[in-house]
Amino acid sequence: FYYQRCGVAKTAPYVLPGYADVVCHAQDVTCKWYNNPSLSSRWKDLSGGWHDARDYNKYVNFAYAAVFDLLMSFHLHQQAWVSDEMNIPESGNGIPDLLDEIKYETDWLLKMQENDGGVLCVVGVTNFATASPPSADNADRLYGPKTTSASYSAAAMFAFAATQFRKVDHVIAQNYAITLQTAAINAYNWAVANPGVL
């Protein structure tokens, strides 16, 4: 999943030879509203998160399966994931690296949540435009609206992640669990109050 990270350089010693790349999708710092890209008051910093498996877009609903599978693995087999030495930039910080990698995605999900609790559904480009390596993709990046399904998906990911971070005896993990719990409640409440928003 480190290789799927958006918005950071992939450098040695964290990547195998041939996979190094400079920062990709720096334009996500000023991600544009899909309905009116020129309206600068609607631009948002939606950097971070993981690229989708097939393209460089970032989907809240499609993140659900990956995040949930990783969290479930930690939940069921925590003893197998105690390593803080999996060779990612966060290694050695006192938090299991599996949770550090999940946090890279949930940090992005938190950016996708608006103040009222609703969660934006997607960051991406039109027509699945792409380039290789990721840093060569300079197309405008757009974000989609808040949706009921994205808000429910995010609520579930936030809630499950909160319970797993709470298991780690580290002040950063404990504080992050509180942040995630609050985000989960707010996303859930927005989804309940706004059913059927596509």
Side-chain angles (χ1 to χ4, degrees):
F1 282 86
Y2 174 75
Y3 284 81
Q4 294 297 106
R5 288 189 184 190
C6 183
V8 295
K10 318 297 189 308
T11 59
Y14 309 116
V15 295
L16 295 172
Y19 290 93
D21 193 16
V22 297
V23 172
C24 66
H25 302 106
Q27 63 268 43
D28 282 3
V29 174
T30 53
C31 199
K32 299 172 180 176
W33 172 235
Y34 83 106
N35 243 2
N36 190 348
S38 63
L39 184 62
S40 60
S41 63
R42 296 288 301 265
W43 293 359
K44 294 179 177 288
D45 178 359
L46 299 176
S47 58
W50 298 323
H51 297 137
D52 186 58
R54 190 180 67 79
D55 55 53
Y56 301 139
N57 295 346
K58 300 181 290 191
Y59 307 91
V60 172
N61 285 331
F62 296 166
Y64 175 89
V67 170
F68 238 70
D69 285 350
L70 294 174
L71 288 169
M72 185 60 75
S73 181
F74 188 83
H75 174 67
L76 294 175
H77 304 288
Q78 185 176 344
Q79 70 283 358
W81 294 108
V82 296
S83 175
D84 191 21
E85 301 173 358
M86 295 178 73
N87 195 36
I88 61 173
E90 297 83 1
S91 293
N93 67 357
I95 297 170
D97 281 348
L98 179 67
L99 292 183
D100 282 325
E101 191 58 54
I102 292 167
K103 184 178 183 295
Y104 195 81
E105 180 73 351
T106 53
D107 281 348
W108 172 72
L109 291 167
L110 289 168
K111 289 181 178 183
M112 295 291 281
Q113 186 172 44
E114 297 206 311
N115 291 337
D116 61 3
V119 179
L120 304 169
C121 61
V122 64
V123 167
V125 295
T126 57
N127 301 318
F128 303 99
T130 190
S132 184
S135 61
D137 182 10
N138 296 314
D140 279 345
R141 304 273 281 179
L142 310 172
Y143 67 90
K146 294 177 285 193
T147 66
T148 306
S149 63
S151 299
Y152 275 131
S153 293
M157 288 184 277
F158 291 147
F160 197 12
T163 65
Q164 302 316 301
F165 275 90
R166 195 167 283 120
K167 294 176 180 178
V168 179
D169 186 19
H170 192 291
V171 66
I172 292 173
Q174 294 296 309
N175 289 337
Y176 195 59
I178 294 168
T179 297
L180 292 169
Q181 178 179 328
T182 300
I185 293 167
N186 292 340
Y188 179 81
N189 287 340
W190 187 91
V192 169
N194 295 275
V197 178
L198 303 176

